[in-house]
Structures are given as structure tokens and as C-alpha cells.
Amino acid sequence: MSDRDHDHHAETPEFPAGVDVAPDGIARRTFLQLVGASAALAASGCAQSTPPEMLPYHEQPEGLVEGVPLHYATTLSSVDGFGVGVVVTTREGRPLKVEGNPDHPDSLGATHAWEQAAIWSLYDPDRARGVARMQGPLRVPATWDAVTAALTAPRSDGGAGLRLVMRPTTSPLLAELLGRALRRHPSARVTFWSPLAPGHARAGARLAFGAPLQPRYDFGRADVIVALDGDFLTRGPGRIRHQAGFAARRRPPAMARLYVVEPSLTVTGGMADHRLARPSGQVPSIAAELVEALLSSSNGGAAARGANAEALAACARALRASAPPDPSAGNDPRRRAFVAAVARDLAAAGGRVILYADERQPPLVHALCHALHAHLGAVGETVTLHPSPLVEDTPAIAARALDIKSLAGELRGGAVDTLLVLGGNPAYDAPADVGFAEAMTHAKARVVLSPYSDETALASTLHVAEAHPFESWGDARAVDGTVSLQQPLLQPLDGGHSAVELLALLAGDAAPRPEALLRARHARGFAAALQRGLLDGTATPPTTAAIRWSALAATPPAPPPVTPPPAGLVPVEVTLAPDASVLDGTLANNAWLQELPRPFTKLTWDNAALIGPTTAGALGVSTEDLIAVTDAAGRTVEIPALVAPGQADGTITIALGYGRAVAPGIGERTARGVGRNAYPLLTTTGGFLVKHATARRVGARHPLARTQGHFSLEGRAVALSTTLSAYTARPVVAPHLRGPVPTLMPDVAARDLGGPRTNEWAMAIDLSTCVSCNACTIACQAENNTFVVGKEGVLKGREMHWLRIDTYYRAPVDTRDELERATDEPRPIHEPMLCQHCEKAPCEYVCPVNATVHSPDGLNEMVYNRCVGTRFCSNNCPYKVRRFNWFRWTEEVPVNAGRISLQQNPDVTVRERGVMEKCTYCVQRIRRAEIAARLANRPLADLEVRTACQQVCPSGAITFGSLTQKGSLVSRAHESPRNFSVLHELGTRPRTQYLARIENPTPALPMTSSDKGHGE
Amino acid sequence: MIRDRGEALLVGTPSDAEISRELIGTVYRPRGRGFRLLLAVALLGTGVLFTCITITVTVGIGTWGNNIPVGWAFGIINFVWWIGIGHAGTFISAILYLFEQPWRTSINRFAEGMTLFAVMQAGLYPLLHLGRPWFAYWLIPYPSTMGTWPNFKSALPWDAAAIATYFTVSLLFWYFGLLPDFAACRDQAPPEARVRRVLYGLLALGWRGSAQHHRHYRLTYGLLAALATPLVLSVHSIVSTDFAITMVPGWHSTIFPPFFVAGAIFSGFAMVVTLAVPVRRVFGLQRVITKRHFDAMGKMILCTGWIVTYSYIVELFIAWYSGDEAEVYQFFIARPFSHGSWVWWGMMLCNVGVTQLFWSRRFRTNTVLVWFAALAINFGMWAERYVIIVLGLQRDYLPSSWGDYLPTWVDLGLFGGTMCFFLLLFILFLRYVPFIAAWEVKELAHELRHGHAPTGVI
Amino acid sequence: MAAPFPRWSDTALRVALVVIVLFVIALVAAPMIWMRTIFATGQTFEVDQPVQFDHRHHVGDDGIACQYCHTQVERSPRAGIPATEVCMGCHSQVWHTSPMLEPVRRAWMSGSPVPWRRVHKLPDFVFFNHSIHVGKGVPCTACHGRVDKMPLVQKVAPLTMGWCLDCHRAPEQHLVPLDRVADPAYVPKPGEGAELAKAYGTRHLTHCTTCHR
């Protein structure tokens, strides 16, 4: 940051006071301290490092109290364009931490990992600066005037040669500006492109209702949920609210039942009561079978709704026809039983059902889901329909929309002289058959707005650095249409600009003032909205659109794509999926996300081809073997294989977003060389599904950095689970794994810990609702200044995450290299593992220097500045939750140094090389709350202290509080019959305890292996 | 020629002059090419050692192969191994002295030297393996301005104390035993070696060998021996508590103290043999270090070897008998079959298998065979520490956190480096210090000549 | 052959031995003593400031309360260095031509702050919170001494961990009524501390995370 920020202060008086004075006064001092801290700590082992001087403010900023955080409500837009309301914590002008906005309908106070990681992107050192003319890979700095000139210049052709590319968005402001721009250039066209949203869901809605309605699901009310290759917990609009609602129905007694059909384990699939691992390509025919089963079943209500039945049957026929010939379907007893069971439950659920399909599935499947919702009476019960908040669906703009393939055609045709790309990276992520990178070079003027010098920026003539959402004004809608505002928290660090400004220019506004534009757009209640984060009364009422049964009945069966599989090679169906961390590649440069262990595979800093054990055997590959995946058109991707339990036979799943082709030294340095690019396999025809692909072993190997290598429970009672029926029959899970253990030692409660017992901090984690979305891991990282260690570090087993999510497969597996032998139904269970804060902590008595000791309020304290680094404590920790600073991470992994240190939480010590660290129960939050309460002479209330992981968890799986506060949530959780301690028999008396996972399988289906939990 | 049971303790009836020429004379012999060569190798290796130390201290423990879960590895393995080797020296010079074993006389001096140098190597590791070695002094109880003290419940402060004590006592014991021979060096100095005469003179602290000197000397030597004796048992017992007090599967065991002490003496004697054989050959000391000595040491190895073997069996039994999942897995699956299990098999082969060869007297008295067996046992005992520490940590309670270990070149450099550093110190000792207690040998010769030979039973 | 050593060498040797022993002892004792001297703790050394700000005058003569300039001490972990505007609040009227205040005026005009020198500095791993101390009756003087008698602020307390612990183990000895925390001259009556401790619910916080987080 530089002094120019301060100059801007005068121009923006309506800024929240003090927000933009970061460079001066305390902020700089704290910054110096932090940097000084790490440097000096490292140099002289916690010796005092006196900054030369103290710089006071010029004028004390109003409302700013040094050392006391300020919170600002703003909005982050997901890749699908929908907004998530967040509250950002700032200290002396530096944004430090993102929390969910409890008032926002699609956040409810929680976030996912991507929102948490946004803070890292803000300080990303690789972000492009300002405006530049591109000469090849060379960025020649240019002025804002260049952009103004390029965009405001009146056009003679009425915009015939002008084309826009935008990411899907729901922003009312952008909609307005885009409208104005298109009116100014009547023949200009706009393309909305995101590889993750090919629009199947909306097309399906159009089929069903004649309009692209946006369904809004209430999973809290659903008794039966059927996910047809659809990961509703971490994908698509409303994901966070989905998870909250779903979690609410995973706790006994009133539990929903979840059926999942999918090719490879997703977060949703991991929570399934019954899961059918089948290729995506089979899902349509499975859906068809489901419909037929429903109609044939006695109480399917077929008689009642004859017309519907006809239409449904027609859909089923169409689906069958469109689906590829699938020989296995006939002799697949498991599949038949599964479908029958689902049909029976759906029919019996009385409308409290949800069927959810992924963008991967063809529109007809989505249409069928809508039809079934209507047929079963779910509309209004669990599903409401809203007018699509997406800008591309507003009639005026839809009329001017252009799909990316035709756009490429026009570009090649030379009809386009000016191409304006507002966000997104089409040169990298457009389908292979579009060849956008080459096509866009045909336009004379190529103005690109993007945060990095990415593929598209490098192919541009004029590159405008895109400002981070925390640096710019804007807005976005939630699924129900609620508008939330996006306000800047600091001046753009790299002089970036926003799509709002560029569109305004295009609309003829020579000197756009985004803040003024936004205020004008939302005149009513703007100030209040800035405080609360969202505009009241902007939610759109549910529409009462009816299914167009007749139209559905007339759906022509789409002819199945027939491509003969090449002889001699093992044919596989490749499923392309957004990566659990970097999505479509937008977040590829985010070190936090890159190091975040992907669910199930626990893979970091890479993507891989997930292959089921059987198929791997057929191909003769094992994990880390490089394989060549070739599609019918001969496009090949070389990628390391990863043998993944739960992967459907004959399928390979590859995550998108990797293998960024950016020249060394420029652009996204963190992302470069990470993983392999799978976009060559993405086509406009096939979409995410690459049928009739082939795979073969290349011979070479490629090491994969994974944070967990052993997934079997080894029959140990570590992560407990049982079924609802068993639990209701005998509501106790593991009496032998709770309560006091026989000991000769004096009771720890009787031990005098020095000082009065104020609180007894404790935590409870519910395995029933933990879906392993990873939000907690990264929230902890953001809160506690945890460094990243890079691929090398992870390979050496040196990751620093204080909170990890262990995943075990309960299916019986071989004890050695078990992944190769796991069944296709691994039955995963997730167990967040962090410091257990044992009352009798094994780490404490072995530390030679008393660097880890117990506090009177029951915390296992880790004193970094006393630690000499014997690692004795880690050896003796049976939970292995302690982390060691093997290096001075700021030197070993440069991305930890420099600007990101502005993000570091000034309330948490930056750890030096050679000291041990671990979860502290966010002691800095505890102490802050205590001091506040004691100054006000009042006791702490329950939930007044919330740990970072607890606050972020969309499932509410983590409860934290004091056992001495009677009736506190955590004390009730500890008394729950589901409660147990991990490794209870060791007598460590952990304060972090777990609630056994309860599952709700239908008696209609045979229990898969070891359905009995350890509880019984 | 006088012999009590078996081989002679001393071949022939050498006069004091002969013994002096043979044993004291070594320090004044001209340096051979062999010596220079060996010195060069040792210096080179020592260079490597200090390079690796510098890297470790400046860059961090990350340069080692350690990780989570394997927090301890080569550092502690080598520490335990070296400190164990030291034990034989103290055992020979102190315990055998108190038991008046005549066969100790001609080997105790360099056994003590070995102890001293081994402890020096061992002492390096606990320092180096710290994340912040510059704060190592926090393990020592002293009144600090922070108002903090070490944690006396932990084994490590005691460990530090034990090593320090052990080194001090060994040094005193060794140096005190040297006094008369330093005096002899002083008195035998050829006229041209004036400087060294003075140096030896200083080291001799004015020893003149008067009857009074001898009376004081005997008393003190006995006292020091009595002081050193408990250390043989205590030091490695304390070291063993570094593991025994934890709850790591495979560490959490009450038999560790005796188990470790036996193992220490076992490996120590193996090392004495490893050193004695070449020394005897090079300096032609067949008269002084006889087959009888190897026979006796062989018996010690056999005996301690069996204690170790017994401990292995007990460990397995307890693991099975406890029924503890983690223990059972550790001993019956992890060690014999998981990553790095070949070390376990090597340990079994060397410590249990090779030891049995020592049943045969012909084997025990064949210096060549014994030498190779001793080498094997040295490896076996190192392997034992690897098995306990690394294999133990690789597979503990939560399967999710199981991990494997591989050493880095820095690990190997430090290990090889300490060996060379040890070699350096040892050959300098051989070159400049009378490495066999000449005065004790003379005494022995007299006793043997006048018939009343001590009836040490081995 | 002549004796290698003269008669006096025995004495020399004995002396040498004694010296060696003493040296070893000194080696251990010296640093422990040094750490307790003002040279190690930096006590009583006046720190030159860019402006010769005289607390003796402002606090002593003018009787300005600490919180008037250190405005946030009751709400914030930090006492805070007064913003330039606070200085100018008075000195735009009084002594507004004094050459001594030239740096302050320059700062006010240019907007670049006065680079004050730090006197009391805790390591970065120590989290001291002014508000809770002041809010529970710990007077400023307990740590900062009689600032009203200091021409230039100097460090009076060693600020070592041991020193902090002394008070945390027995805070009573220092407590004053809340309305007198900023009064440097106030002397607590005998036994008053104990009563206040009871009244304020003062705790004896000696566990690590009280200060280290």
C-alpha cells in the first residue's frame, strides 16, 4: 500500500471512518511490528524488536479504537453469480477475516471455504497492477484515460463490431449498466460465460415452465432427498443454506433420508444413507426408471394425476432414448433395488421430497425433477420457484445474448473489432471446440478486465486489473432475489477497477463514480443497507408457475450421441468436475485453497484422475501413475491417477481448473505448474461428460501430496456411527467410551489449577452433520496466522493446519495400501480433528520447559515463546494434532512473506521457526470476550465466545462453550447419548468430544457391509 | 608361563622396562603413512559433520527427514546409540575394577577413552535436535528473570543432567587413571622431545610414584570407581524414560530401564571388540591383549545379548497380553511388515541371531570372526533404536495420522560425521596418550610372577 | 636428566587450578547478574524525543489527566499515542510560536506524523491490555512510575516476566480506586488494596494465555 491511498481519502468522505487510512498511523506500526515480529523472532528467538519510532494518527479516525476490530457488512459473489452476504473484520484498516452475515438468506452467518479464502486473494502478491497495454506477454503501463477513450468513444456502427463477455451475474447495478450500454450500442451483443454453468438447469426450467425459473430448496423440510449426480451441499446457488437445512435434518429423531447416484464421491455423496456409484451417463436412464417405478407403484398417485402421468412417462421415454445404450442396466440388481426403494420413499413422503440434479445432467433431467416436484406436491412444501435473478435472464438482455461458440464464429469471421471481457478467463476455460484463445485474437481491440495477467489478459490489447470485491462497490442477489451490497474496505491495493466502472464507461458515463451509481440504483434504505449488508424487502415472492405438462409430454427424444469406442483400449467415461478448491481455475492462485485437502482424496497442490479400484485393476494403474486420457476426437490429457474408493466402475473423474499455462515470472505464480489442464476434454457438445474416452498407462509417475494416507479404521473405535433404527431402539451409542476412566491418580477436577474456576471451555463436534466442506480448516488458518507449506511440505508430512478433517472408510479394507482394495461402497465418515484440550494432556507432562501447560479454565495452553522444540509433546500426542515449524516458513515458502502478512491477526503470535503450535480454542477470542465482560462487570453469556471453526460451520456441527454454564449448548452436547471421546480408554479426558454419526438407511435395502456402528 | 583358567592374561613374563617400551613407547614412535591417511579421512568426515551442524542450526530441523508423526528420528537414535556404546567403558573400568577382574587391566584405558568420545558424540544430538538450540539452557534449573523453571515431570531435564554427569565423571576417571602413565611419558621422553616432555609433565600433575602417592591414588581411584558404577545403570535408565514415560505404542513399557542398560553394555562391548582387534593388530599387542580378553568379552556379549533377546520376547508377550489394539498392531503388524520393517528384521538377525555364535569358545577366540560379529551387533543395536523410535511413531493411535519416515542427506551426514569425529578423537588418543594402562599391566605382571594371581572368575 | 619443572611450579599449578574453577563459576553467574541490571532492562535511561515533550509540565504543573491525551487507554489494549490534532488542540492557541513545538506544527501542516521514540516496549508475543488493568484499579504509576516528575519519559519498571508475575500473584499491593488510577500522587491507604481487590473481583491470573496467545 502506498500514500496514494491517503490522497484518495479526501475524494471519498463517505467511507467508513478510518477504513482507508491503513498506510498511516497504527496500521503501518502494526504491520512493521508483524513483519518485525517474524523477522526478529526468527533472528533472535523472541528477542525484543523495537521499531524505531511510533507514528500517531494525524487526526484520530472517528469510531476507530486501536486494537479493537471493526466489522463491515459486504458481499462476495460466487462463480455462479449469486451473492453471499459476509461480514469482514478489519483492524486499523486491514481486512483480516471473513464471517458469514447472519441476516443474509444464503449465508445465515456461515460461509464456505471460498469465502474464507477471499481474504488471501485480496493480498495476493501476484495480482496485476493498474491499466496496461499488452505487447505479447509484456505489460506496458497505461493510464485510465486509455480505457476511457477505448470505451466511451462513440461508434459509427452502432456497436455491430462490439462484443462483451461477462461471467454470470445477479447484480442489479450491472444489469442496469449493461442495459444502458446495450441501448447506447444497439447492435452490440453480450456473452455470459462460465464453464461451471452451461445452463442445463435453466434450460430444464424452461422446458418445464417455459421460463428459466430459479428453484429455491428448503432442505430443512425434506424427508426424502434424491441427488441425481448433484452435489447440492457445496455446488450451485444457495449451497450454504442447503447445508444448514440438510444438517438440521441429520440429527435424530426427525431425520431425512438421502439417496445419491453419482460417479465419484462428492461431499453430498459422502452423507448419503444409500449411494449408488454409477456413471453420469447412466443417470438419465436411472431417472427414467425411477419415474416408471413411481407411476407403477400403487400409491404413486398416477390415477389421481393422469395427465401428469402421461407427461412423466413421455419424459421417461425421451430420457431412455437420449441415454446411451447401457447393457449393464438390465442385470443390475443393486440398481433395481435402489430405484424401487427410492420410488417407495418418494411416494410415501407426501410431498416432503427434493430431487436435485447437477449442471452436468441434461436439461430434460432437470425438467423431470421439476415435474416430479409438482407431481409429488413438493412445490410450496420443500421447493419454491422464483424468477431467475440472473442478469442474462432479464428479457431485454436475453434478447441480446450470444453463446460462446457463435461468438467465436463471429470473431473468426472478422465481424468484431472490439472485444470487451469483463471478468472470467475464456481463453483458458472455454470449450476446446470453441478455440476462444485463437478466436479472440481476430478482434482489433481486446479490452480485458481480470485480476491477474491470466491467459485472457495476455491475449488482450488493453488489460485492466480487476479490483477485489473488498476494494470496490457492487451488489448481488441471493437465490430468493434479496439484494445485498458490496462495499470497499480499503482502496485498491493494485489500483484495480471494477466491471461497474467499465460498463458505465461503455454506457457513456465518462467519469463513473461506482459508489454514486450504486447509491442511485438503491436509493431507498442505502445507509441502513450498508450497516446490515442487505436491502430489506428485495426478496421476490415465489411464483406460482405451473408445469407445462402438454409441452413435456411432447418432448422429442434427443438422439443419443453415438461414437464407436476405439478398439483395443479400455473405454471409460470421463466426468469433468469443478475442483473442490479452485473451482474452474478462478481461485487457482490462492495458496490457502491449493493447500486445502480436497474432500476424500486429501489431495493438495494437484488434480488427479480419480479411478475406481476395479477399473484401475483393468487399466493396470495404481495411484501416482501417469495416465493418458484420450477422448473420441483424440484430444489427450496426461494426468496422474488416484485410485479412489466409491468411484463408479468404468469412469474417471478429473477436476478442472489446473495446469495454468502462464509464462514464468508473470501472472499467477502460485498456480503455475500445479496440476494438469483438463479443459481440452471439455466440449460444447459433450459438456462435462466425455463418453467413449480411453485411458492408458504412460509409464512415468508423479508424486501426489496428500495429507492422509491411511483411510481404514483398523477396527478401532475412533469415529463412531450407527443407524437411526438401532439408536431409537437403544438410545445410547458407546457407554464404554465416555465418562470417567478408572485411575489411581487424583481427580483432575479436584486438582488446584490456581485461581478460581471461572469457565471450563469445551467443544462438541457432531459427526452426523459434518460433511467435510473444509470451511473450518481454512477459517482456522485465516484466524490463527497459519502458514502454508507448499507441495514439498505436504509431501514430507509437515502441513500446518491446526484443524484437519480425517476421513475414514468404514467398509472393510485391507490394512496395507488399502485404497487399492477398498470396495466401491466405502461408506466414508468424517471426523474433524483438532487439539482435544485433554484434562490430562499427555503433551503437558513431557515438555521439559513447561511450554505447554493447563489453564484454570481448562485450556491446554501452548506457549510459543517458551518452546525449545523438542517435539516430545507431538510424539506423545495420541491425536497427532500438534504442528511444528520445521522452517522459517516465510523464507522456505516465499508466498507466506510480503503482503500477506498484512492479513495476519495482530491478536495471535506469529510463530517462529523451531516452535510447536496447535489449536488454542481461539484463546485470543476467549480473552477478548472475557476482558470485555469483566470491564462491564457481567458474566460471559453462552455462545458469546465462538471459535473461528464454529462460527464458519454451515452445518453448525461444532459447538463451543463453557461446561460451568449450566444449560450451555456444549454441556448439553456432552450429555447427549451420542457423545463419546476419541481414544477415551487412554484416560486423557479430552474436552473436545464427539457426537456419533447417525444414519437413516431404509429397511427396504439390504445393509451394506459393517452397517453396524462401533456403538453396538 | 602362568595361566589361570583358559588363555593367558599376559603372554610371557615381560620386565617393567619391556612393558614401558611396548606401551608407553607408542607415544614417541614416528607417525606412519597409515596414521596420516586415517587422520585425513577422519578430518574430512568431521568437516562434513560440522557442515551439517551449521545447516541444521541455520536453516532448521526441516532439513532432516523428521515429520509429523515421526517427531524424533536419526537425532535421538544416534544419541541413544552413542550413549549406549559408552557404557562398556565405564562397566569395564569401574565395575570390573571393583570386582577385581584381572582381564580388565589391559583394555580398560581405551575402553574409557571410547566412552568419553562416544559420550561427546551423543551429547551433540540432544542439542541439535531442538527446534531452537540456542535456548537449550532452559532445560537447566536456574533462577531466571522470567520466574519460570523446567518441568521436572519430564524426562528430558533429567536426561540433560545424566549426560552432563556421565561425561564429567568419565572424564575425571579416565584422566585420573592416566596420571602415572603421563608421568611415565614425561620420564621416558627422548631428549629431542622437550616440549612434549613439559606437556606430559603438566598433565601428570607432578606424579612421582612415591608410596604416599600410590596410597592416595588407590583410595581416590576406588572412590571414583564407586562413583562411576551407579552411572552404568542410572544413565541409560534415565535415557530409557524418554520413551517409557510416554503413551506411544511400543514406547510405553516398564521393562525399558533394564532393557536399555543391557542393550547399552551389549553394544558397548561390541564396540570395544570392534576397536580392540585392529589396535591389537596394528600395535602388535598380542602379548598384552590376549585371546583370553576376547573370550571374556565374548561371554559378556553373549550374556547381555540374551537379556536383550529376552526383552524382545517380553515386549511381544506384553503387547499380546495387554490386548491393546495399538500395541498389538505395533508389534505384530507395523514392525515386521510396514514401511521400513527391514530394519526390524535386521535387528532380529544381528542381536538375536549373531549373538548365538558366541556360545562357541573357538568362535569367541577367533579375533577375525569376532570382529565381524561385533560389527553386526553394532548395527543391530542401532537398528533396535530405529525400530523403537521410528517404527513406533509411524503407526500410533489414529490411522488417519499414520505416516512414513525417510532420512535426508543431512541426517546421514550427521551420523557418518559423528563416526568420523569419534575416529578422529580416538586415533589422536591412540597416538598421543598411553592407551593401555602400563602401570596396571606392570602391576599385573608382578602379581602373576609372584604367584598370588587374583582369582577373577570369568 | 634435569627435572623438567622448577620448585615453584607446584604452587603455580595450584593457583592455576583455583583460577580455572573461579572462571567457570563466573561464566555461569555473570549473565544472571547482568540480566538483572538496568543496562539489560533499560531502566532509568531517558529517551530523546523529536519534541522535548515534558510530562512534568503537562501532568505536574497543568494537572492534565493521562486520559486527556491517551484517550483510548480505558477502551483499548493500547494507551495510544495522541494524534497530532490533540497537541494542536492547545498549541494552536498557546505557545503556538514556540520553536520547541516547530516539529509538531510541521507535522500538522504536512500531515506526516511526529516520529516519537518508543520507551516501553513489550515483545510481540506479549499481549498486554491497558483497558483491563486501568479498569480494575491498577494505576498508571504501577508500571510507568511518577511520569509527572519526568522531564523525559523513562522506563522505571524492568518489564521482565518475573516483574509482571510479582504483581499478578499479589495485585492487592498496587490497587487504587478507579477514579484515582490516573492520579500519580495518590497513595493507597493501608489495607485499601485488599478491599478494592474484593470489590473489583480482582483475579490472580498467572496462567500463560493471560499474556501469551
Side-chain angles (χ1 to χ4, degrees), chain A residues 679-716:
Chain A
Y679 276 110
L681 297 179
L682 181 75
T683 57
T684 44
T685 50
F688 290 113
L689 240 56
V690 188
K691 288 165 186 155
H692 312 304
T694 58
R696 57 174 178 78
R697 230 171 132 237
V698 173
R701 284 177 72 78
H702 172 94
L704 295 174
R706 306 168 69 184
T707 58
Q708 185 178 343
H710 196 94
F711 294 80
S712 162
L713 276 167
E714 297 297 341
R716 301 182 187 183

Side-chain angles (χ1 to χ4, degrees), chain A residues 262-293:
Chain A
E262 61 182 8
S264 62
L265 267 175
T266 64
V267 168
T268 303
M271 299 305 292
D273 296 304
H274 293 286
R275 180 172 176 275
L276 192 65
R278 293 293 180 273
S280 279
Q282 288 186 20
V283 171
S285 45
I286 292 175
E289 286 162 32
L290 178 57
V291 171
E292 284 150 1

Side-chain angles (χ1 to χ4, degrees), chain B residues 238-269:
Chain B
I238 291 175
V239 170
S240 76
T241 55
D242 293 356
F243 308 98
I245 66 168
T246 69
M247 45 205 297
V248 179
W251 292 18
H252 181 69
S253 165
T254 47
I255 67 163
F256 265 32
F259 172 30
F260 268 49
V261 171
I265 296 168
F266 181 52
S267 62
F269 269 101

Side-chain angles (χ1 to χ4, degrees), chain A residues 41 44-48 847 849-852 861-869 885 908-917, chain B residues 132 134-138 142 146 148, chain C residues 122-127 161 207-213:
Chain A
L41 282 174
S44 59
C46 301
Q48 303 198 4
C847 174
V849 292
N850 277 323
T852 183
E861 302 174 306
M862 180 67 225
V863 193
Y864 314 119
N865 44 301
R866 177 66 178 174
C867 178
V868 297
N885 289 273
V908 177
T909 307
V910 178
R911 278 81 62 189
E912 181 201 354
R913 175 195 123 199
V915 305
M916 194 57 77
E917 61 183 68
Chain B
R132 304 197 293 172
W134 45 90
F135 287 127
Y137 65 91
W138 282 351
Y142 73 101
M146 299 179 287
T148 48
Chain C
L122 292 174
D124 292 281
F125 51 76
V126 177
F127 295 86
M161 179 171 163
H207 55 277
C208 308
T209 49
T210 310
C211 311
H212 305 303
R213 296 160 202 164

Side-chain angles (χ1 to χ4, degrees), chain A residues 130-194:
Chain A
V131 182
R133 295 198 178 284
M134 301 302 292
Q135 297 169 357
L138 233 62
R139 290 185 95 250
V140 184
T143 61
W144 177 239
D145 305 343
V147 186
T148 319
L151 298 184
T152 49
R155 302 178 58 96
S156 52
D157 64 351
L162 174 65
R163 293 291 178 269
L164 277 73
V165 180
M166 293 178 74
R167 279 187 161 284
T169 173
T170 59
S171 158
L173 179 58
L174 285 179
E176 178 190 318
L177 292 170
L178 183 60
R180 277 170 50 192
L182 291 178
R183 278 197 295 285
R184 178 157 176 257
H185 305 290
S187 3
R189 305 288 296 274
V190 59
T191 303
F192 290 90
W193 170 249
S194 158

Side-chain angles (χ1 to χ4, degrees), chain A residues 26 46 48-49 51-54 56-60 64 66 758 853 856 861 863 865 906-907 909 927 934 937, chain C residues 72 76 78 82-85 108 111 113-117 121 124-125 127 136 201 203 207-209 212-213:
Chain A
I26 301 306
C46 301
Q48 303 198 4
S49 67
E53 44 198 36
M54 298 182 291
Y57 278 102
H58 186 246
E59 297 167 29
Q60 188 67 28
L64 181 139
E66 296 168 25
T758 49
V853 292
E861 302 174 306
V863 193
N865 44 301
D907 292 341
T909 307
R927 299 296 175 234
R934 281 176 57 68
N937 291 314
Chain C
Q72 307 191 321
S76 163
R78 311 204 188 99
T84 318
E85 65 176 331
W108 180 244
V114 181
W116 297 102
R117 295 279 159 192
K121 172 75 172 75
D124 292 281
F125 51 76
F127 295 86
K136 289 293 173 184
R203 295 192 287 168
H207 55 277
C208 308
T209 49
H212 305 303
R213 296 160 202 164

Side-chain angles (χ1 to χ4, degrees), chain A residues 45-46 712 716 796 798 806 808 845-848 850 865-872 875-876 880 886 912-913, chain B residues 57-58 62 64 66-67 71-72 129 131-132 135 138 148-149 151 154 242 245-248 396-397 399-400:
Chain A
C46 301
S712 162
R716 301 182 187 183
K796 287 210 175 89
R798 292 167 175 178
D806 292 345
Y808 296 105
Y845 71 85
V846 297
C847 174
N850 277 323
N865 44 301
R866 177 66 178 174
C867 178
V868 297
T870 65
R871 303 183 296 290
F872 205 174
N875 290 347
N876 204 29
K880 288 289 174 281
W886 301 96
E912 181 201 354
R913 175 195 123 199
Chain B
V57 174
T58 51
W64 296 9
N66 302 38
N67 57 30
W72 287 353
H129 100 294
R132 304 197 293 172
F135 287 127
W138 282 351
T148 48
W149 295 89
N151 174 12
S154 169
D242 293 356
I245 66 168
T246 69
M247 45 205 297
V248 179
D396 73 340
Y397 290 99
S400 66

